[in-house]
Amino acid sequence: MKTGFARGAETRLRIIRTAADLFHKQGARATSPDEIIEASGTGKGQFYHYFKSKEGLIHAVLLTYLDEIKAGTAPVKYQINSWSDLERWFLANVELQKRYEMTRGCPFGTIGNEVTPNDELLRQDVCLIFEVIKHKLAAFFVKEKAKGRLVKRAEPDRLADFCIATIQGGMLVGKVKRNSQVVEMAAREALAHLKSHVRKPK
Amino acid sequence: MTSCEVECGFFAADTLPADARNRAYFAAEPPSSPIKPRLRALTRRPINGSAMHKYGVFTMAARSLSAAQIKDRMVRAAAELFHRQGLGATSPDEVFRAAGAESQNFYYHSKSKQGVVHAVLRCYLRAIENAAAPINYEVHSWQDLENWFNAQIELQRSFTMTRSCPFGTIALTLVNRLNA
């Protein structure tokens, strides 16, 4: 017999997972609390007990994404130790899209794009996710540079930002075109550009 | 007025060449009235039904407009709202209020919200094809290409980086819905 606490945590998690899927599929704005309540098979009382409002739920969804990224349990691996890891990171994002037959974009990007000036807290949540990803990518470039494998002009922060910008733009275009090739090509071009910072042996 | 030019973020007032175009937009108003700044101020304010109705630029004049003009206004208002807050957060109510049109007009002129989205996207397409967009898509040199990149950022900057690409914002929610 499970304790009430464990059951409660399970319900909360079920609502978050259902909401995350719906937000990813159709955007946070277009998803009503009623839809989430129905899809997750929970009650209205439970929903508003765990999340005061839809904004509260979006916040919880984003925090869950963040925790998964930090813990390394996300479907995309953000721990980069080699160039092939970086390539895998690019391709894992496309794989995620392919799993939904290219009908969805990036889960954080979809929410991030809906943020208006009135959702300052949500904007900060999405911003934090991108910052964490950026730092994980930048860490690889910092290490490479410290080992003397990158040319002097290579700036780890800029390269990491470039990776995120490329994949975000690529995923949007890939979704609109319903075609994964666009994203894969963009990733390949990006990798070629990134590798042009590798120092040539004399 | 049958042409369909969007007066919204993408076609921001600062990028429009002359007053002539502004007057063409608001043919029903006296040309001297400072409508443009008022409209811009209104569309940037958080939407508030009563305030919109009280100060609505279009409401008084809407009756004297032709069907094409009303549709044009609605499309412009919709483009602005979609760019600012996305499709999901924009109700048909908000669009016709911002356009100062009567509520039944919305469904009369556009059949559905999807119809409006379609009209908005067509406007963008036409502007790009006719080179009437604030971004120059005719690239003939590396300098042009650099300008193309920078123009996109300028567009974002003109909204203090609170918005992203107007088409991208629509695409991220729309594509899903059609598929659903």
Side-chain angles (χ1 to χ4, degrees):
Chain A
M1 185 79 186
K2 275 179 184 165
T3 63
F5 179 76
R7 268 204 309 275
E10 258 174 38
T11 309
R12 185 174 182 273
L13 201 63
R14 194 163 74 234
I15 297 175
I16 290 180
R17 293 221 184 285
T18 313
D21 187 58
L22 287 169
F23 293 164
H24 191 195
K25 183 171 124 197
Q26 59 195 23
R29 292 279 165 196
T31 309
S32 66
D34 286 344
E35 220 175 329
I36 300 163
I37 290 164
E38 206 193 315
S40 62
T42 47
K44 214 169 209 162
Q46 282 172 311
F47 180 91
Y48 287 104
H49 169 70
Y50 290 116
F51 315 99
K52 300 281 174 280
S53 62
K54 197 170 98 178
E55 272 59 44
L57 176 60
I58 302 175
H59 173 68
V61 166
L62 290 171
L63 280 189
T64 311
Y65 281 136
L66 189 62
D67 287 343
E68 282 180 353
I69 293 169
K70 281 183 177 165
T73 53
V76 177
K77 290 275 163 283
Y78 295 93
Q79 207 60 50
I80 314 280
N81 294 315
S82 64
W83 285 101
S84 56
D85 275 354
L86 189 64
E87 191 175 343
R88 239 168 276 148
W89 175 80
F90 274 111
L91 294 180
N93 283 296
V94 192
E95 283 305 317
L96 186 70
Q97 282 196 290
K98 274 190 192 159
R99 204 180 303 161
Y100 301 106
E101 291 158 338
M102 302 303 287
T103 60
R104 305 183 183 189
C106 165
F108 340 121
T110 305
I111 296 179
N113 214 20
E114 290 185 283
V115 165
T116 64
N118 298 333
D119 316 308
E120 181 56 21
L121 288 174
L122 295 180
R123 186 192 69 78
Q124 288 184 12
D125 284 339
V126 181
C127 194
L128 189 60
I129 290 182
F130 283 135
E131 280 299 300
V132 168
I133 297 175
K134 178 191 155 177
H135 282 300
K136 286 190 179 279
L137 296 176
F140 166 65
F141 296 120
V142 168
K143 270 184 254 166
E144 287 291 295
K145 200 174 178 186
K147 288 176 192 160
R149 293 184 195 157
L150 294 185
V151 293
K152 255 192 192 142
R153 66 186 163 86
E155 288 183 46
D157 270 6
R158 282 195 192 183
L159 295 181
D161 275 333
F162 174 71
C163 290
I164 294 175
T166 310
I167 200 69
Q168 283 296 322
M171 285 171 97
L172 171 64
V173 177
K175 175 188 162 175
V176 172
K177 290 199 166 184
R178 289 268 196 278
N179 188 343
S180 61
Q181 275 182 352
V182 189
V183 202
E184 284 156 0
M185 291 301 274
R188 217 164 294 156
E189 290 292 331
L191 275 168
H193 171 69
L194 292 166
K195 283 183 179 167
S196 75
H197 292 82
V198 174
R199 189 185 249 164
K200 309 259 178 327
K202 278 171 192 165
Chain B
M1 182 172 147
T2 48
S3 80
C4 188
E5 285 168 86
V6 184
E7 198 273 314
C8 73
F10 190 66
F11 306 89
D14 334 5
T15 65
L16 292 177
D19 290 8
R21 203 190 266 200
N22 295 359
R23 276 202 292 278
Y25 279 145
F26 308 104
E29 297 280 346
S32 57
S33 70
I35 286 163
K36 209 53 175 261
R38 275 167 63 205
L39 175 68
R40 284 176 69 74
L42 277 172
T43 48
R44 292 216 170 151
R45 188 182 301 172
I47 297 299
N48 174 333
S50 58
M52 269 292 178
H53 273 293
K54 201 168 164 192
Y55 303 112
V57 200
F58 296 136
T59 318
M60 294 306 285
R63 286 186 199 98
S64 59
L65 293 179
S66 71
Q69 279 173 317
I70 291 175
K71 188 176 179 184
D72 190 55
R73 272 180 186 187
M74 228 140 43
V75 170
R76 273 184 272 134
E80 162 68 17
L81 288 167
F82 292 160
H83 189 201
R84 185 174 52 184
Q85 58 194 28
L87 284 187
T90 307
S91 64
D93 242 33
E94 236 175 310
V95 174
F96 74 69
R97 223 185 290 134
E102 303 290 325
S103 58
Q104 60 267 36
N105 277 337
F106 186 86
Y107 294 101
Y108 175 76
H109 288 286
S110 53
K111 309 288 185 277
S112 68
K113 190 167 146 187
Q114 274 198 3
V116 174
V117 179
H118 179 66
V120 167
L121 290 171
R122 278 180 60 103
C123 276
Y124 282 134
L125 185 63
R126 210 167 307 163
I128 293 168
E129 283 173 350
N130 301 341
I135 294 165
N136 180 17
Y137 294 91
E138 269 330 304
V139 178
H140 300 293
S141 63
W142 288 103
Q143 185 60 45
D144 281 352
L145 191 63
E146 195 177 332
N147 292 346
W148 177 81
F149 275 110
N150 288 332
Q152 320 256 3
I153 308 168
E154 277 309 314
L155 184 68
Q156 280 199 289
R157 281 215 189 107
S158 67
F159 298 105
T160 57
M161 303 302 285
T162 59
R163 308 181 184 188
S164 57
C165 166
F167 337 124
T169 306
I170 292 180
L172 262 178
T173 32
L174 182 74
V175 179
N176 281 334
R177 309 218 87 202
L178 286 175
N179 189 59

